[in-house]
Amino acid sequence: MKTNILFPSALCSLALISGVSAWGDLGHETIAYIAQNFVSSSTKSFCQGILSDTSTSYLANVATWADTFKYTSAGEYSQPFHFIDAQDNPPSSCGVNYDRDCGAGGCVVLAISNYTQRLGDGRLSQAHLDEALKYLVHFLGDIHQPLHDENLDYGGNDIDVTFAGTTTNLHHIWDTNMPEKYAGGYSLSDAQTWATSLTTSIKSGTYASQRESWLNGMDISDAITSSMLWATDANAYVCSTVMPNGVSAVEDTDLSGSYYEDALPVIELLFAQAGYRLAAWLNLIVTGSTGL
Ligand SMILES: *[C@@H]1O[C@H](CO)[C@@H](O)[C@H](O)[C@H]1NC(C)=O
Ligand SMILES: [Zn+2]
């Protein structure tokens, strides 16, 4: 069938061996800390119980597990779960279509639906609930990375760029180089500091007036439709911000200057949305309401 769809995971795994990953650790952990700041107390207890972790980093501690697990033989099946390969035509037209773009091996949208249903299924074992929660914390991050919602050039992995003199690729600077340039590091405490600042922006700053709209259409009984909304939001930035003037305008170019300056507000918005939506989503699964 759609054999081209099978390529990105193969290429992604090659790329990862040479150091490419999804939103890097910093991004996933920042998103997890933001979610921790918004979950209800019963959601917090539920998650801490499943994870057997009552520390102040209980979600951040597991946010990158899925990126390690996918390169083990036991986790190989999950490689396509980290993205959806939108076969759109940036920069002139962006868009995600579930039937067209979710490959035969699955995609991030289907994975979110699967693990949402599983986390809410009280009949599953502790080990399966643990797996479902760790996947959801990770995949709600991945789906907010524009190039995880894009097929072109293997989600930008095939577009060589430089960043502050280092040769890398477009996918990698969105995952890692740009967030790390802003945070000045990639430790758990760098993630926590960034999350604290984004949490303030959500509660009482730049994002306060829009945060409610981020929850539009959220329905755990129709997780495909809900997560397609998030994928569609993030994919739109491929046209507006990731490659507004096409591939040739970024290829073999150093993007650590004005390109980075334009991208940073979008990265911050996507982290804030991902963290806030993750909290609402977990609250819905555990308590039946977003609690926000
Ligand atoms: C749902 O999750 C289970 C457990 O990880 C996995 O075996 C299965 O392949 C997943 N199903 C889909 C459709 O992704
Ligand atoms: Zn991932």
Side-chain angles (χ1 to χ4, degrees):
M1 257 170 55
K2 307 178 194 166
T3 46
N4 58 323
I5 290 187
L6 298 175
F7 254 97
S9 57
L11 193 118
C12 251
S13 49
L14 284 175
L16 211 129
I17 289 161
S18 58
V20 174
S21 81
W23 277 137
D25 291 1
L26 174 68
H28 282 290
E29 290 161 0
T30 302
I31 289 164
Y33 277 123
I34 295 169
Q36 287 186 205
N37 291 337
F38 288 103
V39 291
S40 69
S41 58
S42 48
T43 303
K44 178 182 174 183
S45 314
F46 175 85
C47 294
Q48 290 190 330
I50 286 176
L51 299 168
S52 305
D53 181 356
T54 52
S55 77
T56 53
S57 302
Y58 62 100
L59 293 182
N61 282 336
V62 297
T64 61
W65 165 82
D67 273 339
T68 308
F69 185 59
K70 73 184 175 186
Y71 294 109
T72 66
S73 52
E76 209 177 344
Y77 73 94
S78 66
Q79 287 184 9
F81 296 1
H82 295 249
F83 51 84
I84 182 165
D85 277 334
Q87 296 173 68
D88 54 359
N89 191 25
S92 59
S93 106
C94 274
V96 193
N97 176 308
Y98 180 76
D99 294 330
R100 180 193 63 189
D101 302 328
C102 190
C107 66
V108 68
V109 170
L110 179 59
I112 288 173
S113 169
N114 185 33
Y115 293 109
T116 296
Q117 182 261 315
R118 291 174 67 88
L119 186 60
D121 186 342
R123 296 165 304 180
L124 291 188
S125 66
Q126 164 95 9
H128 281 135
L129 295 175
D130 175 85
E131 176 199 64
L133 177 55
K134 289 189 293 195
Y135 272 139
L136 284 179
V137 170
H138 186 84
F139 294 149
L140 265 82
D142 276 348
I143 201 170
H144 285 81
Q145 208 280 45
L147 288 168
H148 279 246
D149 306 299
E150 178 54 53
N151 182 61
L152 184 74
D153 289 323
Y154 312 106
N157 274 296
D158 234 12
I159 301 171
D160 291 335
V161 305
T162 62
F163 196 83
T166 303
T167 303
T168 177
N169 67 71
L170 191 63
H171 188 103
H172 190 260
I173 71 163
W174 276 84
D175 276 347
T176 304
N177 305 69
M178 295 198 290
E180 288 182 4
K181 178 179 165 90
Y182 175 73
Y186 51 85
S187 69
L188 216 47
S189 86
D190 293 319
Q192 193 161 22
T193 301
W194 200 355
T196 301
S197 131
L198 289 172
T199 297
T200 303
S201 302
I202 295 168
K203 284 186 174 159
S204 56
T206 338
Y207 306 133
S209 61
Q210 39 174 301
R211 65 170 187 247
E212 214 176 297
S213 71
W214 297 348
L215 308 184
N216 285 348
M218 206 176 254
D219 177 1
I220 54 163
S221 67
D222 187 359
I224 300 270
T225 303
S226 302
S227 42
M228 278 299 292
L229 293 172
W230 312 331
T232 301
D233 275 3
N235 161 276
Y237 291 107
V238 176
C239 285
S240 65
T241 311
V242 177
M243 51 179 83
N245 302 306
V247 172
S248 59
V250 291
E251 195 152 42
D252 299 323
T253 302
D254 195 289
L255 302 181
S256 60
S258 63
Y259 181 93
Y260 162 78
E261 299 295 338
D262 291 344
L264 185 63
V266 172
I267 291 170
E268 292 212 274
L269 172 66
L270 290 165
F271 282 7
Q273 289 180 329
Y276 195 69
R277 284 168 171 161
L278 175 57
W281 197 250
L282 294 175
N283 284 343
L284 276 167
I285 294 170
V286 178
T287 71
S289 100
T290 64
L292 295 172

